[in-house]
Amino acid sequence: MAELSFLWKHRSKFSLTSINFYKAWAKRFLTLPALLKRNWRSFKLRQKGASISPTAEIGVIKASGNKKNLSIGANSSIGRVEFALHTKIVVGNNVCINDGVIILTASHNLNDPLWRHKTGDILIKDYAWIATNSILLPGVTIGKGAVVGAGAVVSKSVGDYHIVTGNPAQPISKYRIEDLKYNPCEFLAANQAWLVG
């Protein structure tokens, strides 16, 4: 929900004589600098060819490579993340990617005498949660609603609603619920100030 125009259109409205009116506008002014920074980051990536939904939240990301290879869906929240855009990275809707995550689309082929790159697209499906300091290696798909535990190194695709942890990442016996309805962007203070007051 990073775009100011979206927040303005969907803002909570209060009577001018109510205390909630003044509380809401105080919160909006206090959180405006952070909101504007996120808007600017999204704008710059779009200018360079990335496809980013107007309702996605973009943190301080490092995106090396061709920005046209990056696609981020609606209501997805991206923290301090590093993207290596040798080939495509597609992030679905309502995805949460926490700080410290590194997403790599290329590595070196150990069986090649010239040690050339081998690349692989990365797909992160709707409602997936990639926790702090995880690493996704080239060619993996993270299934719908899947969870990648903090610090996990994912070298193989993760099934829908599976939870993986460790290095290398392995599924645990527990699964995530399938009836997911949340929007990770709604938890941000700047968005709360506009949408709730």
Side-chain angles (χ1 to χ4, degrees):
M1 288 178 208
E3 284 198 354
L4 195 53
S5 59
F6 177 89
L7 293 173
W8 178 261
K9 183 178 177 183
H10 295 92
R11 73 190 185 281
S12 294
K13 297 176 185 175
F14 304 100
S15 165
L16 186 62
T17 58
S18 74
I19 188 89
N20 288 335
F21 175 87
Y22 297 99
K23 283 183 179 179
W25 279 103
K27 290 177 188 176
R28 291 167 185 171
F29 283 120
L30 288 172
T31 58
L32 187 61
L35 179 63
L36 292 174
K37 284 180 185 176
R38 288 197 301 274
N39 271 258
W40 180 247
R41 287 190 287 265
S42 295
F43 173 77
K44 286 196 312 187
L45 285 169
R46 283 190 202 99
Q47 290 292 100
K48 294 177 181 177
S51 173
I52 299 174
S53 168
T55 59
E57 290 287 351
I58 305 300
V60 180
I61 68 170
K62 179 181 177 186
S64 58
N66 188 345
K67 309 306 182 278
K68 291 179 181 177
N69 286 330
L70 180 61
S71 175
I72 300 174
N75 305 320
S76 288
S77 178
I78 314 297
R80 291 180 180 270
V81 175
E82 184 176 336
F83 294 104
L85 297 165
H86 298 279
T87 187
K88 292 186 180 187
I89 296 175
V90 178
V91 178
N93 300 324
N94 299 86
V95 170
C96 182
I97 304 179
N98 292 138
D99 292 349
V101 171
I102 299 172
I103 301 177
L104 304 172
T105 57
S107 184
H108 290 281
N109 186 346
L110 298 177
N111 296 319
D112 182 347
L114 298 176
W115 202 48
R116 288 176 282 227
H117 272 136
K118 61 177 184 177
T119 61
D121 294 350
I122 291 186
L123 172 61
I124 303 172
K125 294 184 180 180
D126 298 351
Y127 289 103
W129 174 20
I130 315 300
T132 305
N133 296 328
S134 300
I135 299 173
L136 305 185
L137 298 179
V140 300
T141 294
I142 308 298
K144 182 177 182 180
V147 177
V148 175
V153 177
V154 181
S155 59
K156 295 179 183 175
S157 293
V158 178
D160 292 353
Y161 308 104
H162 285 222
I163 302 170
V164 297
T165 62
N167 179 8
Q170 299 293 322
I172 62 173
S173 59
K174 185 178 179 181
Y175 290 85
R176 195 171 188 198
I177 64 164
E178 295 185 17
D179 187 27
L180 298 169
K181 298 175 184 172
Y182 66 91
N183 173 349
C185 298
E186 288 180 352
F187 301 112
L188 295 172
N191 292 337
Q192 287 278 318
W194 287 91
L195 302 173
V196 179

